Amino acid sequence: RKEVEQDPGPFNVPEGATVAFNCTYSNSASQSFFWYRQDCRKEPKLLMSVYSSGNEDGRFTAQLNRASQYISLLIRDSKLSDSATYLCVVNFDYKLSFGAGTTVTVRA
Amino acid sequence: NAGVTQTPKFRVLKTGQSMTLLCAQDMNHEYMYWYRQDPGMGLRLIHYSVGEGTTAKGEVPDGYNVSRLKKQNFLLGLESAAPSQTSVYFCASSLASLSTEAFFGQGTRLTVV
């Protein structure tokens, strides 16, 4: 079983739509959680950290459910510039484990 | 404002050749990592280092060696390249904190023929 599993998508949504997707992780002792964004053939960059209480950063909302071991990301009012692959990342003992990514395409 | 710099950015090797990938960071980060990314598989950890002079194996260490003689540099070596090592390699660094962001280099695209 992979440590971090994501729905690969692709999610193809119109501008202004809301899109949401999850990932699950297998190690219940995981200590911190993140969403990274990766544009085609480029390096991953941090989108936001994920906290148990849930957190927002502009149009992005992340949730963590430790009991069920899943993390979610919701994007409101999608923009063309949100088209990317979103990587779910879990940290255990300073080792980051990455999901394979969820691809989102926002169309005009 | 360099951040994490990887050298080279592209390389083609013949099977059996050796090479070293260099990662340099100027943020005084303690931790450094080498990942490989293959289609549909996400990033997989090859080796990592929690400080100068220390290294540890990650998820897929076979066929690779690393060294961290200086805090700012983390080298990844391929002793005898194989076609299965064709991949995109990313180096990353971070502070010694569980909640901190990892910064990535721009990647090295390696093809082994």
Side-chain angles (χ1 to χ4, degrees):
Chain A
R1 182 183 173 187
K2 290 182 181 178
E3 289 193 42
V4 182
E5 301 211 45
Q6 292 184 247
D7 180 347
F11 289 83
N12 190 325
V13 301
E15 273 188 294
T18 296
V19 59
F21 42 88
N22 298 332
C23 87
T24 58
Y25 61 94
S26 60
N27 186 350
S28 60
S30 297
Q31 295 150 308
S32 53
F33 310 87
F34 309 89
W35 284 103
Y36 277 70
R37 170 190 170 130
Q38 185 174 30
D39 294 300
C40 187
R41 302 171 75 83
K42 294 192 174 179
E43 74 273 24
K45 293 184 179 179
L46 179 68
L47 177 67
M48 59 196 300
S49 301
V50 187
Y51 305 111
S52 296
S53 55
N55 49 298
E56 281 190 14
D57 184 359
R59 298 179 292 105
F60 297 84
T61 301
Q63 294 277 356
L64 166 64
N65 185 317
R66 283 189 181 268
S68 301
Q69 294 179 213
Y70 78 81
I71 306 158
S72 65
L73 181 67
L74 181 146
I75 307 173
R76 288 186 301 277
D77 188 22
S78 299
K79 311 293 185 190
L80 294 175
S81 57
D82 294 334
S83 296
T85 297
Y86 292 85
L87 306 175
C88 178
V89 183
V90 174
N91 190 336
F92 174 70
D93 271 359
Y94 301 100
K95 290 174 286 185
L96 299 177
S97 295
F98 286 76
T102 298
T103 299
V104 173
T105 302
V106 182
R107 63 183 188 273
Chain B
N1 201 24
V4 180
T5 303
Q6 290 182 231
T7 309
K9 291 185 171 45
F10 302 93
R11 185 73 185 268
V12 178
L13 283 181
K14 293 183 178 179
T15 298
Q17 286 185 319
S18 63
M19 77 164 294
T20 300
L21 282 65
L22 171 63
C23 177
Q25 53 96 3
D26 61 3
M27 296 173 282
N28 201 34
H29 285 170
E30 287 294 330
Y31 292 179
M32 296 188 75
Y33 308 85
W34 275 107
Y35 288 89
R36 61 177 288 174
Q37 186 173 32
D38 302 294
M41 300 192 70
L43 279 80
R44 292 181 293 169
L45 182 64
I46 304 171
H47 286 280
Y48 64 103
S49 168
V50 299
E52 181 178 315
T54 73
T55 62
K57 294 181 180 179
E59 181 186 355
V60 288
D62 294 342
Y64 305 95
N65 57 73
V66 288
S67 64
R68 189 145 178 227
L69 299 179
K70 294 183 178 181
K71 185 177 183 179
Q72 63 267 34
N73 295 337
F74 195 29
L75 277 63
L76 177 70
L78 285 73
E79 293 178 342
S80 179
S84 61
Q85 293 178 304
T86 293
S87 189
V88 179
Y89 292 84
F90 286 103
C91 175
S93 71
S94 70
L95 294 169
S97 166
L98 287 168
S99 60
T100 193
E101 174 182 2
F103 292 85
F104 285 80
Q106 292 181 310
T108 296
R109 300 186 184 283
L110 175 66
T111 302
V112 182
V113 297

